[in-house]
Amino acid sequence: MRRLHRLVVLTVGAVLLAGGLAPGPQVAAQAPRRLVIGIGSIPNTPDPHLDSTANALPAYATMFEKLVASDGKGGFRGVLARSWRLVDPTTWEFTLQSGVRFHNGMTLTPEDVKFTIERILDPATRSPWLGRISAIERVDVTGPQTLRIVTRGPFAPLLQGLTVVDILPAAYFQERGAAGFAAAPVGTGPFVFGEWHRQDRMVVRANAGYWRGRPRLDEIVFRAIPEDSTRVAGLETGELDVGVLVPPEQVDRLKARGLQVGTVDLAQGMVVNLRSNVPGPLQHRKVRQALNYAVDKEAILRSILRGHGRILNGQVVGPDAFGHNPNLAPYAYDVARAKRLLAEAGYGGGFEVTFHGTIGRYTKDKEIEELIIGQLAEVGVRARLEIVEGGVYIQRHIARQLGPLWIWAWQYFPAMDADLPLNFFTCAGVGNFFCSRDFDDLFAQTRREMDPGRRRALLQRLALLVREEAPVIFLVQTPGIYAAQPRVTGFTWRSDYLMDLHRVDLQRR
């Protein structure tokens, strides 16, 4: 019995230390500050280089950090990088923050940055972030706190690309291997890894040694709840402290119950991707344009989203993105024109096609998918809806196993730049579904142009080309509606999909 008692004491002590708490009378008397967040899905893996899903980003951001981040004003701020400068058109020099440690106690070094970037660049990794930094030729460690990133040619959106690169500890990763790292991931963020249960929940705990100060919360639980109604029920019963992707029709109801409710236009353009680089009707531009004319975007915004969000004006980013073209207009809802274009393309009798959709991945996604299918039927296109579970959706996209039609939201956060989604539209893009040499040539010009004004103009020309080629059905800039219990303080959901959880607190009951 004495041995068992000692074991219990040691176990409790270990748990408290892992959670960043010093054992003592005050801690023993108070319950941990645990925040439970209901979200449509959680990361498909704890490895941040393998999942670019929007819903995965808030959880990753609790454990991992980048060199730089967007300042929300079209510029950048340093995170793990203290400063940076452009040495010449192909060489960037970075100086790291000092005193930053990974969760396992190892100090952040330039070798960690070099390893991280090289891992993403390795095609064997199959990272969805590869396209955002693919112009990097090499990384040179130049001092105890400095490194240089060398690109193959002038590469204007380097900082934009680095806003998605979570820095991993080189020695620890090489010791554990990819599978071992995913089982016990280590970063520099304000929270340490706790648990991960596929398609169910991810738990992170406070990092007492965080270099910018310990977070106020002791623990965060991200719960994957695909069904909107279940997230709302969790908020009403108090099972959830925060719920995101709240259905628009529930806003007034939750406010009446005393919950805090907020809305933000997220930096993601919802579309239906059209696989046009394989034989079939979608190879024809007139067919793709016809599908755009066949879908009523106003009905989606007005009837399903109840005015939350914004219609995309024929491009995949909203006006809050660098490179947005203000001179473009949405495709009008014009059934007669859609039928005429289909007939001109030789598909006057319509055709059948598979439409892959999701539930809970985006606000009202299933309702939007069903409305689109009904409207496509009016012009003779018989789309068969097949729902794919959110946890495997990104893998099937990368493996080119979705479609020919599939719902998608192109992210332009966290850098708020049109380059981010458009790199997937190249012939060599990860999970590519569209191929145009004109697009590729113009896209390459945008990446070589170091002058911001000229680069913006090139991106706007690219947006015009995409509108005319119509490789997607343009829908809406998605709304982000969230609700929080009254005792939650400091919570906001930003347009870049992140949540500032380091600053969130809970009032004691």
Side-chain angles (χ1 to χ4, degrees), residues 47-85:
D47 186 335
H49 292 174
L50 301 183
D51 190 349
S52 61
T53 308
N55 282 341
L57 301 187
Y60 285 147
T62 62
M63 297 187 290
F64 304 100
E65 294 178 309
K66 290 85 171 167
L67 288 178
V68 297
S70 169
D71 66 2
K73 304 172 184 175
F76 298 90
R77 61 180 175 83
V79 183
L80 294 180
R82 189 176 68 217
S83 62
W84 60 90
R85 68 187 181 98

Side-chain angles (χ1 to χ4, degrees), residues 9 45 56 151 256 277 287 326 348 358 368 379 421 427 458:
V9 170
T45 165
T151 57
N277 57 354
V287 171
T358 56
I368 292 173
V379 299
C427 297
L458 288 170

Side-chain angles (χ1 to χ4, degrees), residues 70 93 100 112 122 155 178 197 209 287 321 325 361 431:
S70 169
E93 183 173 83
V100 177
D112 298 312
D122 184 351
F155 184 59
H197 303 272
V287 171
N325 188 333
R361 184 179 174 89

Side-chain angles (χ1 to χ4, degrees), residues 174-496:
Q174 290 161 343
E175 174 189 333
R176 303 281 303 224
F181 180 83
V186 165
T188 61
F191 292 86
V192 303
F193 178 74
E195 305 168 24
W196 175 77
H197 303 272
R198 183 183 294 276
Q199 300 172 23
D200 182 45
R201 67 186 183 280
M202 174 176 274
V203 181
V204 297
R205 301 191 174 101
N207 174 13
Y210 182 50
W211 62 286
R212 291 195 294 178
R214 185 193 189 284
R216 295 167 182 168
L217 296 170
D218 300 319
E219 184 174 279
I220 302 173
V221 181
F222 293 92
R223 288 189 52 195
I225 306 176
E227 291 287 349
D228 293 345
S229 59
T230 308
R231 286 197 301 281
V232 171
L235 287 165
E236 290 183 320
T237 61
E239 184 180 353
L240 298 178
D241 297 301
V242 172
V244 299
L245 299 177
V246 169
E249 71 275 13
Q250 298 294 335
V251 168
D252 292 340
R253 175 189 174 96
L254 292 175
K255 283 183 177 177
R257 288 177 172 265
L259 277 84
Q260 309 172 68
V261 180
T263 303
V264 62
D265 287 334
L266 297 171
Q268 57 179 194
M270 176 182 274
V271 302
V272 178
N273 286 331
L274 308 175
R275 191 173 298 286
S276 58
N277 57 354
V278 296
L282 298 177
Q283 279 189 309
H284 301 272
R285 182 171 63 179
K286 287 186 176 180
V287 171
R288 302 193 299 268
Q289 292 176 335
L291 300 191
N292 271 281
Y293 285 116
V295 174
D296 186 355
K297 279 71 69 177
E298 282 287 347
I300 292 173
L301 185 69
R302 188 176 56 256
S303 302
I304 298 179
L305 298 178
R306 303 199 178 199
H308 297 278
R310 178 189 290 136
I311 292 176
L312 293 172
N313 58 345
Q315 52 198 311
V316 296
V317 300
D320 50 355
F322 186 92
H324 173 265
N325 188 333
N327 300 315
L328 300 184
Y331 276 85
Y333 177 47
D334 190 334
V335 172
R337 191 169 183 178
K339 290 181 176 178
R340 187 168 65 250
L341 286 168
L342 285 172
E344 290 174 2
Y347 292 92
F351 57 90
E352 293 187 359
V353 66
T354 299
F355 183 173
H356 283 124
T358 56
I359 297 177
R361 184 179 174 89
Y362 314 114
T363 298
K364 307 300 287 183
D365 46 6
K366 185 169 183 289
E367 289 82 355
I368 292 173
E369 292 152 10
E370 291 172 341
L371 181 143
I372 291 171
I373 286 175
Q375 294 183 335
L376 293 181
E378 293 182 15
V379 299
V381 176
R382 300 172 293 282
R384 300 180 302 275
L385 180 62
E386 295 181 8
I387 299 297
V388 178
E389 195 280 318
V392 299
Y393 205 66
I394 181 69
Q395 280 71 32
R396 292 191 61 176
H397 168 77
I398 293 171
R400 305 178 75 244
Q401 294 175 344
L402 294 179
L405 274 62
W406 71 103
I407 198 80
W408 196 256
W410 287 109
Q411 305 165 12
Y412 53 97
F413 53 73
M416 311 300 283
D417 191 296
D419 175 87
L420 304 181
L422 292 177
N423 86 82
F424 290 96
F425 286 64
T426 63
C427 297
V430 174
N432 72 305
F433 59 98
F434 168 71
C435 186
S436 160
R437 294 302 171 193
D438 290 341
F439 178 94
D440 281 15
D441 291 344
L442 189 53
F443 183 71
Q445 290 182 48
T446 70
R447 289 195 151 184
R448 289 194 298 266
E449 180 53 67
M450 304 301 284
D451 178 84
R454 290 196 290 270
R455 178 170 171 266
R456 185 195 301 272
L458 288 170
L459 285 170
Q460 291 174 343
R461 283 177 53 194
L462 203 57
L464 174 61
L465 186 155
V466 172
R467 186 188 185 281
E468 294 305 308
E469 287 292 333
V472 303
I473 302 175
F474 303 98
L475 300 176
V476 296
Q477 185 176 350
T478 62
I481 306 173
Y482 58 94
Q485 303 292 346
R487 72 192 188 101
V488 177
T489 63
F491 181 88
T492 58
W493 197 17
R494 305 188 321 226
S495 59
D496 63 5

